[in-house]
Amino acid sequence: MNVKRIPGYRLGKLTVHETVAFFTDTNCMLIRPDTGTTLSMCNQLGECFEKRQMTDDMIFLLVQRALADYDKSRPIANCQKCVLPNFFLIDLTKACNMSCTYCFRDLDAHCGRITEDQLLRICDALIAYWKAHPQIHLSIQAWGGEPLLELSSIVEIRRLFNVVGLHPQIIIESNGTLITPETALILCENNIEIGISIDGHALVHDLQRPLVDGQASLHLVERGISNLREAGCNEFGTITVVTKNTISHLKDILLFFTEKLHLRRIKLNLMRKNERNSDLAVSLDEIDNYVENLISYMYELYKQRISLVEQNISQRLSNLIFRPNSNICNAYGCQGGYRMLSIDADGCVYPCELSDYPDYCIGEVGTSDFTDMVRKAIESEHEYFAEKQLDECRGCPWLYFCGGGCRSSVKYNGRNPTEIDRTECAFNKSIYPRLVEILLTDSSFGQYLMKGEI
């Protein structure tokens, strides 16, 4: 694939913005780096664009996709981050029944639970916030530790909102080991969405995700998945942390997920280095090979007509086609604080799941509107909201989507969150060109990657 950078220029009252053009043998895609807007066309039209030989119809499309604009054109939407959080994590407990090798939190299996009074106070504040901002749809993630250790608190969140006639999305990310038949029924009856953490087949999963006593946990996770299905809960996804242990077994892991567990929606997250354990993280020079193998193995599943969505791929394809800004972490850079807040068991509010850093607290539940807390933190030049150092990223085709990557992962690696998340950067630089090529040359495979449809 041939990549060309096409400088911006003026054409009468029309401003044509700088773009990056990706050419295959037959088609091309134009991308405007600062807005993430794209336009696909045949090579002949792409060459006309490059030579500044454009028809009125083509100019109309360029303006429509914000690759060009007239002096009085309306500004493109969604290019300014808005302070309006709609996704809240409630940290119910730091207790956990597992001892994952890469965990970045200070967990304690004997840690106390959130109090009933504190949970009521948090939910009352969220209810008041939602009523003050009815344009949002509230999502709540019960978080930990292992959130199912606090199942009664999760159910209580649903009850407290039901009482006032509000129905937020409630989500948990669980290690899956505590999902008994009774627990599965409770989750389904209360419309609690669930994601399961599972790192692969036994060789990898039990190595990375042992129980606190060091025993294997995969058989318990498999039992939990079975119990969910027996209860009628089939719309769940999984999260896998990709480490040095994972990448050499990637193909077998995907086969295990599809053939043994019959999973249809997975997410493979590259482990980020942290101060406790950096040896497990995939090195930057391994990422290209990882991405190539992942796409290749997904293609094999596609040819075998086995439905599977890998959400990091699917979300980035959606970015390229629709630019929805829907993902808080990788559709418009880090939107921690702007669209997401984390609340700990004491009611302290943080811009992300950084509850282990007391100096990152931006307020306390019930003292002011959540939007006011964030704006005050921004105005006071809180470290978390400081502008990313992106001089080297200017002109990168993926700048809009990446924005310098995850602030949390940089912080947990002992660096300033204004620095670039190098893992996210390397992953985006590797996967996005591959996805552009797929969209331009094999749209059927692209449809499969985005929706799992054969």
Side-chain angles (χ1 to χ4, degrees):
M1 188 166 59
N2 190 17
V3 182
K4 297 181 180 180
R5 188 171 301 278
I6 302 175
Y9 59 91
R10 291 278 296 183
L11 190 64
K13 294 183 178 180
L14 181 74
T15 298
V16 180
H17 298 284
E18 177 182 330
T19 62
V20 179
F22 294 82
F23 288 88
T24 64
D25 291 340
T26 55
N27 298 309
C28 82
M29 178 181 286
L30 307 178
I31 298 178
R32 180 178 165 186
D34 61 330
T35 62
T37 51
T38 65
L39 180 63
S40 298
M41 60 187 70
C42 67
N43 268 0
Q44 183 179 1
L45 288 177
E47 290 167 0
C48 288
F49 173 79
E50 184 182 6
K51 296 174 182 177
R52 307 184 183 186
Q53 300 171 351
M54 295 177 290
T55 65
D56 288 344
D57 287 344
M58 187 170 177
I59 289 173
F60 173 82
L61 289 173
L62 291 170
V63 172
Q64 187 182 51
R65 300 295 295 174
L67 296 169
D69 55 60
Y70 286 102
D71 291 343
K72 295 184 179 180
S73 295
R74 288 187 303 174
I76 183 172
N78 298 332
C79 274
Q80 295 294 327
K81 289 183 178 177
C82 175
V83 178
L84 192 62
N86 68 326
F87 182 78
F88 290 81
L89 298 101
I90 303 178
D91 195 3
L92 299 179
T93 179
K94 288 187 178 181
C96 189
N97 64 326
M98 294 185 68
S99 182
C100 301
T101 55
Y102 45 70
C103 186
F104 60 86
R105 300 208 71 198
D106 289 321
L107 299 178
D108 182 354
H110 306 290
C111 183
R113 59 186 295 274
I114 191 171
T115 66
E116 293 179 10
D117 288 345
Q118 193 61 264
L119 186 63
L120 176 61
R121 180 180 169 220
I122 291 170
C123 288
D124 281 347
L126 290 174
I127 289 168
Y129 172 74
W130 198 1
K131 288 181 176 180
H133 304 279
Q135 70 271 39
I136 69 171
H137 183 74
L138 195 69
S139 294
I140 297 171
Q141 180 171 328
W143 196 51
E146 170 48 46
L148 284 181
L149 290 169
E150 292 299 326
L151 179 60
S152 61
S153 295
I154 299 169
V155 173
E156 179 66 2
I157 293 171
R158 175 63 77 196
R159 189 192 71 81
L160 290 169
F161 276 86
N162 283 345
V163 166
V164 295
L166 296 175
H167 308 285
Q169 179 189 38
I170 299 180
I171 313 162
I172 62 171
E173 292 293 343
S174 170
N175 61 41
T177 62
L178 303 178
I179 304 174
T180 64
E182 295 75 21
T183 297
L185 282 171
I186 290 171
L187 293 173
C188 290
E189 289 168 356
N190 288 276
N191 194 25
I192 310 295
E193 300 177 28
I194 186 167
I196 304 295
S197 295
I198 180 171
D199 280 1
H201 49 49
L203 183 62
V204 175
H205 180 93
D206 288 336
L207 178 66
Q208 297 185 168
R209 299 184 61 82
L211 298 171
V212 288
D213 61 2
Q215 297 298 306
S217 67
L218 180 60
H219 66 290
L220 299 176
V221 181
E222 292 185 75
R223 183 190 66 184
I225 289 173
S226 178
N227 289 335
L228 281 175
R229 288 176 171 150
E230 286 291 326
C233 179
N234 293 301
E235 297 300 319
F236 62 87
T238 62
I239 292 181
T240 298
V241 178
V242 177
T243 68
K244 285 183 176 294
N245 298 326
T246 311
I247 55 176
S248 59
H249 299 280
L250 183 59
K251 184 174 183 178
D252 290 338
I253 289 171
L254 292 178
L255 292 176
F256 173 71
F257 284 168
T258 54
E259 295 182 358
K260 174 71 184 302
L261 299 184
H262 306 291
L263 300 177
R264 293 295 175 259
R265 185 160 53 92
I266 67 172
K267 191 171 189 179
L268 306 176
N269 288 338
L270 287 168
M271 178 198 163
R272 301 304 206 266
K273 290 183 178 181
N274 60 64
E275 293 174 309
R276 297 192 186 96
N277 193 337
S278 62
D279 294 338
L280 279 175
V282 174
S283 65
L284 299 183
D285 57 12
E286 293 176 291
I287 290 177
D288 274 342
N289 191 53
Y290 162 72
V291 167
E292 189 60 35
N293 285 336
L294 176 58
I295 296 292
S296 176
Y297 300 151
M298 292 293 292
Y299 188 76
E300 291 181 24
L301 295 174
Y302 161 68
K303 299 304 285 186
Q304 296 173 45
R305 306 183 68 82
I306 298 174
S307 179
L308 182 68
V309 172
E310 197 289 308
Q311 293 187 80
N312 276 307
I313 292 176
S314 177
Q315 289 162 359
R316 283 167 175 79
L317 277 169
S318 182
N319 288 344
L320 289 170
I321 300 170
F322 305 114
R323 200 185 68 114
N325 288 5
S326 56
N327 188 284
I328 291 171
C329 299
N330 57 36
Y332 187 15
C334 171
Q335 296 191 64
Y338 292 89
R339 289 183 55 199
M340 171 177 68
L341 288 173
S342 175
I343 305 172
D344 73 9
D346 295 320
C348 296
V349 181
Y350 300 81
C352 186
E353 56 265 48
L354 288 170
S355 302
D356 296 331
Y357 290 94
D359 57 324
Y360 268 35
C361 175
I362 64 170
E364 187 175 339
V365 163
T367 58
S368 65
D369 186 273
F370 290 111
T371 58
D372 292 336
M373 288 185 197
V374 176
R375 291 192 183 102
K376 184 177 180 181
I378 294 171
E379 291 167 0
S380 64
E381 299 182 349
H382 187 287
E383 180 183 82
Y384 183 89
F385 295 100
E387 188 174 349
K388 279 270 192 180
Q389 301 167 10
L390 300 178
D391 289 345
E392 67 182 86
C393 305
R394 304 302 172 193
C396 173
W398 327 119
L399 174 61
Y400 180 86
F401 307 129
C402 177
C406 176
R407 294 175 181 269
S408 303
S409 66
V410 176
K411 178 70 173 177
Y412 274 100
N413 194 22
R415 297 183 290 124
N416 191 296
T418 61
E419 296 180 38
I420 294 170
D421 174 3
R422 294 295 173 183
T423 300
E424 183 75 3
C425 172
F427 183 70
N428 284 334
K429 284 182 176 179
S430 182
I431 198 161
Y432 270 117
R434 190 72 180 90
L435 297 180
V436 168
E437 186 175 20
I438 290 168
L439 288 174
L440 295 177
T441 61
D442 193 345
S443 59
S444 178
F445 182 40
Q447 174 84 354
Y448 169 82
L449 288 173
M450 190 160 70
K451 295 187 176 181
E453 296 175 356
I454 307 298

